[in-house]
Amino acid sequence: KPFTLDGFEQLWRNAEVDMNISTESIESGQLVRESNNSMLSTDQTRAQYGRILSRGLEKIIQVLKLAPSDIFLDIGHGIGNAPLQVAFTIGCQSRGIEIVEERCVISHQFKDNLERQVEQTLLMEKKWTRHIGSTELRHGSFLDPKHHNFLISANKILVNNANDIFGSRSSLEGKPTLDAYIAALFASSEPGTIMVTLYPITGYLGRSIEKENEHRKKRNLQESLDASFFTCEQVNLGTGVVSWSHGKEINVWVYSRVHQSDESGDAYFLCDNIHCDAAQNNVATAAVYQCDDGTFLLHDHCAFCGVKRQVMTRGGKKQLVLLDENGSDGDEVDK
């Protein structure tokens, strides 16, 4: 069996003792925090650090409906606490990618220590009863095409983009935001994939399938599985779940890739232009395209009539989609 949360937290505390430093001391040190305000990178201007606490991650695990057969991915894994907790308490494959090398080095130190503790304990007890998932923690940018298959083959994804840190705050001028790339990564994943973000990216994805079909119905267009490729809901995690705000309630956005009519599993959307033959005949546009630099983004227009989808890809713009009282994405408004 995997470890309980209490058991994992004890392993983590033991690692802190072995390493002669606390997690909080690591986080307040220059190695972890020096990229908070600026960094040398061709992909982003900064990499703000913030940790989801173990009890908060336990709630996210429930939201993701994680099971031993899943593949978990943490984009921006920091010191590795989330992938390791998932591997040790769920027993599934667990992955992470982190652009700041110093943070990734620390994550490997924790990984090696935790795995060594388990191996020593099992040898002493002579009982091989713990099922722990494999963990792979990579150093690099999630925009690098060499990591693409590693990322999209995961089916349960966590993105800590709290406080719009993957939006204009960290984007290079004139380039798409990190959230725009996250949206394309999600659209490139298999149907059934669930992604949790700490800041909404609905403004990049477009309308959910429910909202898109409601919109089509208002325009006397036929409802369709291909209207959009995802659903969205907002979930409140409560307080005391993140390292940067103990008293504030934290919400997450839960995006689920839906099954559409194309058996390939690729993501599609339908045009809502009533004068477009493709819109009238339910002929869909592929959602994702590959850029010249090897990265992936979402199409922002119908492939047949050229009418723009209401999504955003550039930095310097605020979220365009409002959330209704139930946390679902509503119609877009200009700000």
Side-chain angles (χ1 to χ4, degrees), residues 68-173:
S69 59
D70 289 326
I71 301 176
F72 172 78
L73 169 66
D74 183 9
I75 297 180
H77 69 246
I79 62 173
N81 57 294
L84 289 168
Q85 180 175 329
V86 167
F88 277 69
T89 63
I90 301 300
C92 67
Q93 289 187 51
S94 197
R95 301 174 177 179
I97 189 163
E98 172 58 54
I99 195 170
V100 181
E101 184 177 8
E102 292 80 6
R103 297 173 188 173
C104 200
V105 169
I106 295 169
S107 73
H108 279 277
Q109 292 174 345
F110 272 109
K111 175 180 181 291
D112 293 344
N113 187 288
L114 295 181
E115 291 176 346
R116 186 166 59 250
Q117 285 187 62
V118 173
E119 184 176 337
Q120 291 171 348
T121 301
L122 294 178
L123 284 173
M124 286 189 297
E125 295 179 352
K126 296 182 180 180
K127 295 179 180 179
W128 296 89
T129 57
R130 294 294 187 189
H131 175 68
I132 299 170
S134 62
T135 306
E136 183 175 355
L137 304 173
R138 291 189 180 184
H139 167 238
S141 169
F142 75 88
L143 301 185
D144 191 329
K146 72 181 181 182
H147 300 302
H148 186 67
N149 289 336
F150 172 75
L151 301 175
I152 66 169
S153 55
N155 68 330
K156 301 295 173 67
I157 304 171
L158 172 62
V159 183
N160 183 357
N161 60 346
N163 300 321
D164 198 26
I165 191 57
F166 278 15
S168 58
R169 293 177 60 195
S170 60
S171 300
L172 296 171
E173 186 175 355

Side-chain angles (χ1 to χ4, degrees), residues 79-335:
I79 62 173
N81 57 294
L84 289 168
Q85 180 175 329
V86 167
F88 277 69
T89 63
I90 301 300
C92 67
Q93 289 187 51
S94 197
R95 301 174 177 179
I97 189 163
E98 172 58 54
I99 195 170
V100 181
E101 184 177 8
E102 292 80 6
R103 297 173 188 173
C104 200
V105 169
I106 295 169
S107 73
H108 279 277
Q109 292 174 345
F110 272 109
K111 175 180 181 291
D112 293 344
N113 187 288
L114 295 181
E115 291 176 346
R116 186 166 59 250
Q117 285 187 62
V118 173
E119 184 176 337
Q120 291 171 348
T121 301
L122 294 178
L123 284 173
M124 286 189 297
E125 295 179 352
K126 296 182 180 180
K127 295 179 180 179
W128 296 89
T129 57
R130 294 294 187 189
H131 175 68
I132 299 170
S134 62
T135 306
E136 183 175 355
L137 304 173
R138 291 189 180 184
H139 167 238
S141 169
F142 75 88
L143 301 185
D144 191 329
K146 72 181 181 182
H147 300 302
H148 186 67
N149 289 336
F150 172 75
L151 301 175
I152 66 169
S153 55
N155 68 330
K156 301 295 173 67
I157 304 171
L158 172 62
V159 183
N160 183 357
N161 60 346
N163 300 321
D164 198 26
I165 191 57
F166 278 15
S168 58
R169 293 177 60 195
S170 60
S171 300
L172 296 171
E173 186 175 355
K175 291 191 68 175
T177 67
L178 297 180
D179 275 335
Y181 292 111
I182 290 290
L185 186 151
F186 171 67
S188 301
S189 65
E190 293 291 326
T193 296
I194 302 175
M195 181 175 70
V196 167
T197 70
L198 273 75
Y199 192 84
I201 64 167
T202 322
Y204 300 91
L205 291 169
R207 298 185 184 94
S208 69
I209 189 167
E210 297 94 339
K211 292 296 181 181
E212 192 62 57
N213 274 322
E214 287 178 11
H215 186 68
R216 290 177 64 80
K217 189 175 181 179
K218 292 176 182 177
R219 293 192 162 205
N220 294 318
L221 294 170
Q222 184 180 351
E223 296 180 42
S224 172
L225 288 173
D226 295 329
S228 183
F229 52 88
F230 71 97
T231 64
C232 174
E233 64 174 322
Q234 185 178 345
V235 176
N236 184 283
L237 299 184
T239 61
V241 295
V242 295
S243 64
W244 62 89
S245 180
H246 289 277
K248 181 181 178 181
E249 290 197 347
I250 299 297
N251 293 316
V252 296
W253 284 260
V254 186
Y255 299 94
S256 300
R257 275 276 281 117
V258 300
H259 291 267
Q260 297 181 279
S261 62
D262 192 288
E263 294 182 357
S264 70
D266 292 343
Y268 288 87
F269 66 86
L270 287 174
C271 179
D272 62 0
N273 174 17
I274 59 174
H275 303 294
C276 175
D277 289 340
Q280 294 287 350
N281 297 308
N282 287 352
V283 180
T285 294
V288 181
Y289 71 96
Q290 188 169 15
C291 305
D292 292 339
D293 62 1
T295 59
F296 294 83
L297 287 170
L298 293 178
H299 275 122
D300 65 354
H301 62 275
C302 171
F304 304 95
C305 72
V307 167
K308 292 276 189 178
R309 286 184 79 217
Q310 294 180 0
V311 298
M312 60 182 186
T313 58
R314 300 290 174 182
K317 297 180 181 179
K318 294 184 178 180
Q319 190 75 16
L320 297 181
V321 173
L322 295 178
L323 297 175
D324 62 24
E325 61 183 4
N326 297 317
S328 300
D329 52 307
D331 289 335
E332 296 181 345
V333 295
D334 293 326
K335 286 188 174 181

